[in-house]
Amino acid sequence: MVLAREGESCPGIIGRSPAIVKLSKLIVKVAASHANVLVQGESGTGKELVARAIHLASPRAMGPFLGENCAALSESLIESELFGHVRGAFTGAERDRRGLFALADGGTLFLDEVGDMSPRIQAKLLRVLQEGEFRPLGGRDLIRTDMRIISATNRDLRGMVETGSFRGDLYYRLDVVDMKLPPLRERSEDVPLLAEHFLSRVRGQAKRGISKEAHEMLARYPWPGNVRELQNVIERAAVMAPGTVIGVDALPDAVIDYALAERGDGYPHGASKPHEMVMIEAALIKFRGDKAKTARAIGWSANGQKKTKFWML
């Protein structure tokens, strides 16, 4: 999830960081067109939310917004989901069924994890994009569709094109407009806004807010799982916090451990191995694999007691 700056006409977006303000303006600009959009970003950065925001700000807002995760279904299932089928097309097809290409007519179709499509489905999707028509499985008649495709991936599609695992002609059809979502670690100023937003959405919670120190720790953590991980942490904290305000004691050990180490208070003695590994992995992500910076952040020197395994990673 991404959030919107007040005053920006971008549905569903919250945040004050320069990256999110820029993204919000781009969404509004892109929404006015009918161009296909490729949304790229790490898992948990809010790719579907951005796709929905584009749809809601577009002339197609009154039409349907439908989505499918291309990685979640087998080749045969995703083909049936997209194209639909007629009665008797295969075993179990007891009646005609409209696919997403037909249902999304006049609206937007969001294809998540598009890089996981098989070569055969890639070829069939390309034809639909080129011709604006398709044939349901087992059918004879072509059906026209007017839909906008917004696709998303956390994979390097351009690199996949170069290696031959993704069709170049399809890539350029999907990537008319390219939108890259920043990871949460690159916009830590948005963490407090997001945290308070997620807290307000927890059903039945009686918490009035989040303490200053808890907010500080949340902002320091690099969030390898991005906004999805932050949402999970806040929902858990709303349940675990003993009082009316979420304090440090309600946060996961991994968040506390990392914040204390980065603040210079050292790594807490007695922390469990899983928490230790989470902290190391989060630091490596934040410092883009730089082991020296990671070691300094978690309070280890090259000559430290735990140097052997870490420096051999």
Side-chain angles (χ1 to χ4, degrees):
M1 153 134 359
V2 198
L3 286 184
R5 167 188 270 190
E6 296 178 10
E8 290 288 342
S9 56
C10 191
I13 307 293
I14 305 173
R16 298 194 181 98
S17 65
I20 291 305
V21 172
K22 181 179 179 181
L23 178 66
S24 299
K25 292 178 178 178
L26 180 58
I27 288 173
V28 173
K29 185 175 182 179
V30 168
S33 74
H34 295 283
N36 294 331
V37 180
L38 177 62
V39 184
Q40 300 187 72
E42 296 176 7
S43 178
T45 50
K47 294 185 285 295
E48 182 171 357
L49 183 71
V50 167
R52 190 177 295 274
I54 294 172
H55 171 75
L56 292 175
S58 76
R60 296 174 177 267
M62 299 303 294
F65 177 87
L66 302 174
E68 187 60 78
N69 187 325
C70 301
L73 301 175
S74 66
E75 181 182 78
S76 59
L77 282 177
I78 195 168
E79 185 175 14
S80 178
E81 284 294 311
L82 294 177
F83 291 85
H85 59 256
V86 300
R87 180 181 178 183
F90 50 82
T91 302
E94 299 178 351
R95 59 184 177 84
D96 291 356
R97 184 175 184 274
R98 299 177 73 200
L100 292 175
F101 289 156
L103 295 172
D105 186 40
T108 302
L109 177 59
F110 174 63
L111 297 178
D112 197 9
E113 303 300 345
V114 71
D116 288 271
M117 277 187 171
S118 69
R120 191 172 72 86
I121 299 299
Q122 289 178 37
K124 299 192 73 169
L125 174 60
L126 175 64
R127 180 173 178 80
V128 176
L129 293 177
Q130 289 174 333
E131 306 298 334
E133 58 187 20
F134 66 96
R135 182 180 286 108
L137 297 182
R140 296 181 178 179
D141 299 329
L142 288 171
I143 299 175
R144 293 205 60 81
T145 182
D146 172 25
M147 61 179 174
R148 180 184 207 169
I149 298 287
I150 300 179
S151 51
T153 182
N154 58 12
R155 303 176 67 178
D156 178 13
L157 284 193
R158 184 179 289 275
M160 292 175 67
V161 170
E162 293 175 356
T163 61
S165 57
F166 197 85
R167 294 183 64 108
D169 43 9
L170 176 58
Y171 171 73
Y172 291 113
R173 284 280 182 176
L174 296 173
D175 189 24
V176 177
V177 177
D178 182 34
M179 301 184 74
K180 291 184 172 60
L181 305 192
L184 189 54
R185 63 183 175 275
E186 293 181 3
R187 52 187 186 94
S188 58
E189 59 265 59
D190 289 337
V191 171
L193 284 172
L194 286 159
E196 294 287 353
H197 170 75
F198 290 136
L199 179 60
S200 71
R201 292 177 57 186
V202 178
R203 289 185 178 180
Q205 64 87 15
K207 304 297 184 293
R208 293 198 298 265
I210 302 170
S211 73
K212 181 178 179 180
E213 187 175 7
H215 263 312
E216 178 187 336
M217 289 191 168
L218 291 171
R220 286 178 178 273
Y221 188 66
W223 301 106
N226 290 294
V227 184
R228 186 182 295 124
E229 181 185 6
L230 173 60
Q231 182 177 7
N232 177 272
V233 165
I234 295 302
E235 290 177 354
R236 174 187 178 278
V239 174
M240 301 300 293
T244 58
V245 175
I246 292 178
V248 171
D249 56 346
L251 300 181
D253 290 345
V255 174
I256 298 172
D257 293 348
Y258 185 90
L260 290 176
E262 191 188 51
R263 199 166 63 187
D265 294 340
Y267 187 70
H269 295 294
S272 67
K273 177 90 172 172
H275 297 147
E276 176 180 296
M277 291 308 299
V278 168
M279 190 184 74
I280 293 172
E281 290 169 3
L284 282 168
I285 291 173
K286 179 175 182 178
F287 298 112
R288 302 180 185 278
D290 189 316
K291 294 178 184 176
K293 289 182 179 179
T294 298
R296 287 195 295 271
I298 61 179
W300 293 353
S301 69
N303 297 317
Q305 186 178 7
K306 300 180 180 180
K307 68 176 183 178
T308 306
K309 290 186 178 180
F310 174 72
W311 290 92
M312 289 180 66
L313 287 175

